[in-house]
Amino acid sequence: MARIVMKFGGTSVADLSRIRHAARHVEREIKAGHQVAVVVSAMAGATNQLVEWCAEASPLHDAREYDAVVSTGEQVTAGLMAIVLQSMGITARSFSGWQVPIKTSDVHGAARITDIDATELNKRLDDGQVCVVTGFQGISPANRITTLGRGGSDTSAVAVAAAISADRCEIYTDVDGVYTTDPRIAPKAQRMVRVSFEEMLEMASLGAKVLQTRSVELAMAKHVRLAVRSSFDDPDAPQMAPDGSDTGVPGTLVCDEDEIMEEQIVSGVTLAKAEAKITLRGVKDHPGVAAAVFGALAAEHIVVDMIVQNVSDDGKVTDITFTLPDKEYDKAVKALENAGDGLEYSRIVGAKGGAKISVVGVGMRSHAGVASSMFKALADKGINIQLITTSEIKTSVLIDEEYAELAVRALHTYYGLDRQDA
Ligand code: ADP
Ligand code: ASP
Ligand code: MG
C-alpha cells in the first residue's frame, strides 16, 4: 500500500467529462489498495477570468480581495471532483485551504506555505477516504484566504505530499511528461524519462511552466518523489515508464542526480517571452550606485533578472543594464525616475519584447565550450544576442522576441536533442 498525491491541472479538470476521466485515474489507485489525496486546479481559463474581473472592478484592487476572488476556481473543481468520485462509489471529501488547514504567509497573491496540519487528512486517508484539496490557496495568520501565485497548485500538491509523507506526488497535466523543450514550440522535443531536481529547477525558473518553480524547490528540500504525467492517458493502461525502467510512472520522474545513469551536457532548452530590458546610461561609477538602483526597484517589489555592468573607461561613468518582465517595465522606469538621492545617471533607455533562451544541463559543470557553441549556433541563424548570463548548469541569452521559436528549435537541433523518428 502506498500513499499518493495526484494533482490535476486546469486542462485536466476543464469540464465535467475531463473531471470524470481524471477521477478514473484516482479510481485505479484506490482499486490497487493505495491511499490517495487529490489536489485540483481551477478549470482551464477560470483563474484568468477571475483575475480579469478584479482588474476591471478596479485596476488598483486590494490584494486580500483579489485572493478572495481568484481562489474560488479551485473550490468549484474540488467539490465537483468529490461529487464525481462519490458517484463512482468512492468515499471522498473536499477541503478548501482553510479547512485542512494550509497555513501561509500574508503576502497576498504570492504567499508561501508555512505549515500544513495534516492530522485530519491523515485520519481520513487511513480510513480509506479520498481527500480532495483545493490547490493554489491557503490561509494567512490573520485568517484571510491567500493564493500562492500563478501555477501554484503544483506547489500545493508537493506541500501536501510532504505533510502526509506521501510515497510520491504525481502532477497530471496536458503533456505526458517533461520534454527537452516545450513540445508546442519544437515538435521534435523528446520526453525525458528522468530529470534531476536541479535541472528541473533551472528549467522551471527559466520558462518551462510545466511545473511551478517553487514546487520543484519544495520537492527537492522535502525529498518528495515527483512525477509529471498526462491525465489524458487511458487510466487502465499499464503503469510503465516509457523506456521500461522502474520509475513507476509512464511520464517523467523528477529525482536526485545519482538516480540518472547517463548525463547529458545539455538536457533542455527553455524560453521565457515578454522580457524587457532597461539600461541606465552615464551612471556615476562609485560605491553604492548599484545598491541604490536595485534598492529602488526592490522597494517596489520588482524582480529583476539578468544584470550587466561594465567597468567604465574613464573611471567616472558607466552603464547598468538589467532585464525584468514586460509588465513591470513602466513601474520600474517610474521607480528609477523618482529614486532621488544616490542615483545619478544621464538617461534611461530600454525596450519591451525580448525573449530569454536558455540551455540547461548538469553536464555543463564539467564541460567547457557550451556557451561559445550556443553563440555560434545562434549566429549561424543570424540571431543577435543582446545580453548573456551563465550559472554552473545553464547559459541564458536575451534576444528579440521575433526570433524566439527559431532560436529554441535551432539550439534543440544543435545539441542533438531532436527525436530521431520525427
Ligand atoms: P496545468 O494546467 O496542468 O498546470 P500548465 O499549462 O501549467 O498545465 O503546464 C503544462 C504546459 O507546459 C504544457 O502544455 C507545455 O506546453 C508547457 N511546457 C513548457 N515547457 C515544457 C517542457 N519542457 N516539457 C513539457 N511541457 C512544457
Ligand atoms: N488556477 C491557478 C492558476 O491558473 C493555479 C494553478 O492552476 O496551478 O494559476
Ligand atoms: Mg501549471
Side-chain angles (χ1 to χ4, degrees):
M1 193 268 295
R3 244 190 199 186
I4 310 168
V5 170
M6 303 171 79
K7 180 258 173 179
F8 296 96
T11 40
S12 307
V13 292
D15 54 36
L16 273 175
S17 75
R18 294 247 55 94
I19 294 178
R20 285 203 180 91
H21 190 79
R24 287 185 49 218
H25 283 281
V26 178
E27 183 184 36
R28 177 191 63 235
E29 302 303 338
I30 292 293
K31 279 193 174 155
H34 301 315
Q35 296 183 354
V36 179
V38 173
V39 173
V40 285
S41 289
M43 289 179 178
T47 310
N48 286 348
Q49 174 67 77
L50 296 166
V51 170
E52 270 169 40
W53 279 337
C54 291
E56 265 176 48
S58 168
L60 292 174
H61 45 262
D62 185 310
R64 289 168 193 76
E65 302 311 335
Y66 167 93
D67 277 352
V69 175
V70 301
S71 59
T72 57
E74 273 69 13
Q75 199 169 321
V76 173
T77 43
L80 289 174
M81 177 62 87
I83 292 173
V84 167
L85 287 167
Q86 288 168 359
S87 75
M88 294 161 73
I90 295 168
T91 325
R93 182 61 66 213
S94 72
F95 287 83
S96 285
W98 64 271
Q99 288 172 311
V100 173
I102 297 177
K103 296 180 187 162
T104 74
S105 66
D106 61 1
V107 184
H108 285 274
R112 285 172 85 90
I113 297 174
T114 50
D115 183 41
I116 295 182
D117 180 350
T119 318
E120 185 68 19
L121 295 185
N122 282 333
K123 192 168 131 284
R124 288 177 185 252
L125 290 168
D126 285 339
D127 285 349
Q129 228 181 71
V130 174
C131 299
V132 186
V133 180
T134 51
F136 186 48
Q137 55 162 274
I139 186 160
S140 77
N143 274 354
R144 309 270 351 158
I145 294 175
T146 50
T147 62
L148 309 179
R150 297 306 304 270
S153 296
D154 297 330
T155 302
S156 307
V158 173
V160 167
I164 64 171
S165 306
D167 296 281
R168 63 178 188 270
C169 178
E170 299 184 350
I171 306 289
Y172 287 78
T173 183
D174 57 3
V175 275
D176 59 1
V178 179
Y179 277 69
T180 44
T181 193
D182 188 341
R184 288 179 208 279
I185 297 174
K188 291 182 182 170
Q190 296 188 61
R191 177 167 40 155
M192 299 165 165
V193 177
R194 296 166 193 255
V195 59
S196 71
F197 281 115
E198 269 185 303
E199 283 174 332
M200 193 61 238
L201 193 57
E202 286 283 12
M203 286 181 67
S205 72
L206 294 168
K209 71 163 185 167
V210 63
L211 288 174
Q212 198 199 32
T213 309
R214 178 86 190 103
S215 72
V216 186
E217 255 170 34
L218 200 61
M220 195 169 162
K222 302 277 183 190
H223 306 288
V224 172
R225 230 171 149 71
L226 185 61
V228 176
R229 55 183 296 186
S230 171
S231 73
F232 293 60
D233 280 356
D234 174 4
D236 302 319
Q239 302 295 292
M240 290 281 293
D243 67 347
S245 65
D246 63 348
T247 60
V249 284
T252 300
L253 182 72
V254 189
C255 58
D256 289 327
E257 219 177 298
D258 55 19
E259 282 187 65
I260 298 174
M261 297 296 285
E262 218 179 316
E263 266 176 16
Q264 304 283 336
I265 298 175
V266 169
S267 305
V269 182
T270 63
L271 161 63
K273 281 186 166 182
E275 299 275 321
K277 180 176 77 167
I278 291 181
T279 300
L280 286 176
R281 295 238 186 266
V283 180
K284 289 268 180 295
D285 192 12
H286 58 71
V289 171
V293 170
F294 296 107
L297 298 169
E300 294 294 325
H301 304 286
I302 297 168
V303 179
V304 304
D305 181 19
M306 306 163 110
I307 300 178
V308 177
Q309 185 191 335
N310 260 325
V311 185
S312 57
D313 261 354
D314 55 5
K316 288 185 188 136
V317 291
T318 182
D319 293 344
I320 295 180
T321 301
F322 58 90
T323 63
L324 72 173
D326 272 356
K327 62 180 182 344
E328 303 273 42
Y329 181 85
D330 297 333
K331 195 165 132 193
V333 170
K334 206 186 268 171
L336 293 169
E337 283 171 350
N338 297 336
D341 286 356
L343 217 179
E344 296 166 63
Y345 59 89
S346 56
R347 63 198 170 96
I348 302 178
V349 289
K352 295 184 192 174
K356 184 171 64 172
I357 315 285
S358 312
V359 297
V360 176
V362 284
M364 284 165 75
R365 278 199 203 110
S366 47
H367 280 83
V370 174
S372 66
S373 62
M374 179 183 188
F375 307 152
K376 177 160 187 326
L378 294 173
D380 286 348
K381 296 282 173 194
I383 299 170
N384 190 39
I385 298 170
Q386 302 173 14
L387 286 176
I388 300 163
T389 54
T390 61
S391 79
E392 214 183 11
I393 65 163
K394 70 121 202 274
T395 302
S396 303
V397 296
L398 186 76
I399 63 170
D400 196 320
E401 211 167 45
E402 197 183 328
Y403 303 108
E405 281 83 7
L406 173 66
V408 167
R409 286 192 283 264
L411 292 170
H412 197 266
T413 305
Y414 186 84
Y415 288 108
L417 298 173
D418 286 354
R419 236 174 50 218
Q420 291 313 312
D421 58 343

